[in-house]
Amino acid sequence: MNDKTILQRLDGLVDWTGVPALASGHPRRRPMRWPAAITLALAAGGYAINLLGGLKGGSFAIGIGMQALAMCASGFIAGFGPLKPFGSMERVDEWDRAIRTRSYMAAFTTFVVVTGAAAFLLLAALAFDWPRDAIMRGAMATIFLLEIIVMALPTAYASWTVRWQGDD
């Protein structure tokens, strides 16, 4: 066999994997405006129910349930949203990198602000001698909220701030 035949066979094997088709295709951009917004609203609503209900009993169960539902949804939203994950098999161009950078900067800014406010509230609860179990439930609800912010807010930011093709 000559070298040309071997290279053709290797090209055929590579084409069979489907990777060249992914690399040569246009990048898929999927705005998810409403799912991301509803997920963030559900998470914030669950956190508000937790705080307003005094982190007790039934209101805490409802609030954590809302946040757990939002956390499940945010995992899907982050995977299927407009931002390509790091190390993605899809083609990532300069536009994707720029919008991903802006989206994560907005998410981390929000993360820092919410973390500071939550730390202030938890320390105030300690200072005013709240029950320890209520403080621990508040910390757990805060951690859920922060995880949802990191997973869903970049998608929401990218979906709402960019003018997508087909938008008039």
Side-chain angles (χ1 to χ4, degrees), residues 39-48 50-51 63-64 66-68 70-71 74 107 110-111 113-115 117-118 121 137-153:
T39 299
L40 289 169
L42 192 63
Y47 193 69
N50 283 334
L51 292 183
I64 284 294
M66 288 172 65
Q67 285 186 312
M71 180 158 322
S74 67
T110 305
F111 182 90
V113 170
V114 170
T115 301
L121 289 174
R137 282 187 290 237
M140 183 175 74
T142 302
I143 290 170
F144 265 36
L145 179 66
L146 292 173
E147 288 176 358
I148 295 165
I149 286 172
V150 167
M151 290 195 311
L153 191 61

Side-chain angles (χ1 to χ4, degrees), residues 68-98:
L69 182 64
M71 180 158 322
C72 291
S74 67
F76 286 109
I77 288 169
F80 294 114
L83 299 177
K84 309 296 184 299
F86 296 101
S88 173
M89 291 298 292
E90 294 183 50
R91 193 176 67 130
V92 178
D93 57 7
E94 292 82 18
W95 184 88
D96 289 316
R97 286 187 192 98

